[in-house]
Amino acid sequence: MSMTKKSILAELKGLKLQDYDIQIRKFYKDAEGDFLWLYNFEGGGFNDVWAKTKEQAVAKASKSFSTLIPKADTFRKCTWEEYQAQNRMGNMMSF
């Protein structure tokens, strides 16, 4: 089940502060205001692209590769830590 912000807020309504915790993630952003978007390809593999919006990220990634097709539903903004984790995974896969 996919949870939306609205459904999460509805679920929290009426709970005491000690009944839940809110996590805040700071997305990785460059000096121009672009976010780093992680995504997967159809058939396997992953990459990243800088863009302000998801639509721009999908468009940029689609133009970048002639044989690989990015899966639009996998695009997500990432934190610095998530980016580093992806790099570690990529490095491990290359051995």
Side-chain angles (χ1 to χ4, degrees):
M1 177 178 128
S2 176
M3 298 204 59
T4 64
K5 289 179 186 177
K6 187 175 182 178
S7 68
I8 292 167
L9 290 173
E11 192 171 310
L12 293 178
K13 190 174 183 180
L15 293 178
K16 298 175 186 162
L17 287 176
Q18 63 265 29
D19 292 339
Y20 63 91
D21 181 33
I22 296 175
Q23 305 274 327
I24 296 175
R25 297 170 47 216
K26 182 180 176 191
F27 294 121
Y28 190 26
K29 199 172 178 180
D30 68 9
E32 288 83 40
D34 291 345
F35 294 100
L36 187 60
W37 296 81
L38 305 180
Y39 63 93
N40 298 3
F41 292 107
E42 301 280 348
F46 55 88
N47 209 338
D48 56 70
V49 64
W50 291 96
K52 289 194 185 336
T53 67
K54 181 177 179 178
E55 292 77 19
Q56 290 174 353
V58 172
K60 280 184 176 182
S62 297
K63 290 179 191 174
S64 297
F65 299 96
S66 59
T67 57
L68 299 172
I69 302 167
K71 292 176 66 174
D73 63 339
T74 65
F75 280 74
R76 65 232 178 250
K77 288 186 226 178
C78 71
T79 64
W80 170 254
E81 293 79 15
E82 291 165 337
Y83 173 62
Q84 292 302 315
Q86 176 178 280
N87 285 341
R88 283 192 301 278
M89 184 171 36
N91 287 336
M92 287 189 292
M93 292 170 59
S94 66
F95 289 110

